[in-house]
Amino acid sequence: DTAVSQTPKYLVTQMGNDKSIKCEQNLGHDTMYWYKQDSKKFLKIMFSYNNKELIINETVPNRFSPKSPDKAHLNLHINSLELGDSAVYFCASSPLTGVREKLFFGSGTQLSVL
Amino acid sequence: SQQGEEDPQALSIQEGENATMNCSYKTSINNLQWYRQNSGRGLVHLILIRSNEREKHSGRLRVTLDTSKKSSSLLITASRAADTASYFCATALMDSNYQLIWGAGTKLIIKP
């Protein structure tokens, strides 16, 4: 009965590979996000979807592509992984359109690119 | 993007003492939110305070907001070992429905 779940929790891969991270929320929220947390713990938004529509697309390399098959799922696909992609990636959702209300976070995916 | 700033970056206190963390921001906000992140876990929402509010309480947590100084503080009273975590503030900007601007966090350690 986890509210926001993302898989895998750990992802170790070689440079140049393609990988995906999945996220699902069972809260009935309309808005979902992907955040990247770097080694200094700074959180940076990558993408936001509202009811399957892309709302925020920050300056993120084209190698990152979000996919929202329905409003309960927001997956992140990364092509041609680079060393600098190593970070913790968090999925989140919010109950109303936009971020004016609180976010619910998944437990994170620690990506290590070797 | 503009960032919120928190201070101190790290705080270590004895169990039972009070812990105060501060957050400053740069532009007008709709609301300010505090989150906790335990090591290796996701962020958990603690309190949301709106721009027209000055103080909010939740259990042992007290948040204040001073919009004239563009700052907020989070007070944890009677700290416990379980409060050991990183605490982040995030501001919802007035001119954006979708952006939360995050601080770099305060790492709080409660010594038993």
Side-chain angles (χ1 to χ4, degrees):
Chain A
D1 56 350
T2 305
V4 181
S5 59
Q6 54 182 108
T7 55
K9 186 164 176 63
Y10 300 98
L11 187 51
V12 181
T13 188
Q14 298 288 330
M15 231 171 24
N17 285 349
D18 303 338
K19 291 293 177 186
S20 291
I21 308 172
K22 295 186 175 182
C23 179
E24 175 182 4
Q25 53 94 4
N26 62 3
L27 299 167
H29 293 169
D30 287 317
T31 310
M32 296 184 72
Y33 312 84
W34 276 109
Y35 278 89
K36 179 180 180 180
Q37 187 175 45
D38 62 25
S39 57
K40 295 185 179 178
K41 303 297 184 186
F42 179 61
L43 265 173
K44 184 173 173 56
I45 191 166
M46 300 174 68
F47 302 103
S48 173
Y49 270 74
N50 181 50
N51 208 7
K52 301 195 301 173
E53 181 185 346
L54 181 64
I55 299 298
I56 293 175
N57 183 355
E58 287 295 295
T59 307
V60 176
N62 290 338
R63 300 180 294 102
F64 290 79
S65 54
K67 292 248 181 343
S68 182
D70 55 60
K71 75 174 194 176
H73 295 83
L74 181 62
N75 303 322
L76 183 65
H77 189 75
I78 316 170
N79 288 329
S80 303
L81 278 155
E82 301 177 356
L83 294 176
D85 297 332
S86 295
V88 182
Y89 292 83
F90 287 100
C91 177
S93 68
S94 61
L96 295 176
T97 299
V99 296
R100 296 299 178 91
E101 303 303 320
K102 67 183 183 181
L103 299 185
F104 293 75
F105 281 83
S107 57
T109 296
Q110 184 163 337
L111 172 64
S112 299
V113 182
L114 308 177
Chain B
S1 299
Q2 292 176 298
Q3 302 174 23
E5 291 183 10
E6 284 140 344
D7 84 278
Q9 287 187 324
L11 179 61
S12 180
I13 60 173
Q14 292 292 139
E15 194 167 20
E17 293 179 340
N18 296 341
T20 299
M21 288 158 270
N22 303 297
C23 170
S24 59
Y25 56 91
K26 297 177 182 176
T27 60
S28 296
I29 61 172
N30 175 279
N31 67 62
L32 185 145
Q33 304 175 30
W34 285 93
Y35 290 79
R36 182 187 73 234
Q37 183 180 30
N38 291 91
S39 180
R41 306 295 296 273
L43 284 81
V44 174
H45 182 269
L46 297 175
I47 286 187
L48 182 152
I49 186 165
R50 302 192 186 280
S51 59
N52 61 351
E53 297 175 310
R54 292 295 165 259
E55 188 170 311
K56 275 189 102 165
H57 297 254
S58 176
R60 294 182 295 110
L61 306 181
R62 181 172 80 104
V63 167
T64 61
L65 179 64
D66 186 335
T67 52
S68 66
K69 294 181 180 177
K70 292 187 169 57
S71 67
S72 173
S73 67
L74 169 66
L75 168 67
I76 304 174
T77 59
S79 63
R80 304 169 182 168
D83 295 328
T84 294
S86 291
Y87 291 81
F88 294 85
C89 71
T91 50
L93 304 182
M94 284 294 287
D95 59 356
S96 170
N97 279 330
Y98 298 98
Q99 281 280 17
L100 271 184
I101 305 299
W102 294 83
T106 293
K107 186 171 175 62
L108 175 65
I109 297 173
I110 308 298
K111 296 179 285 188

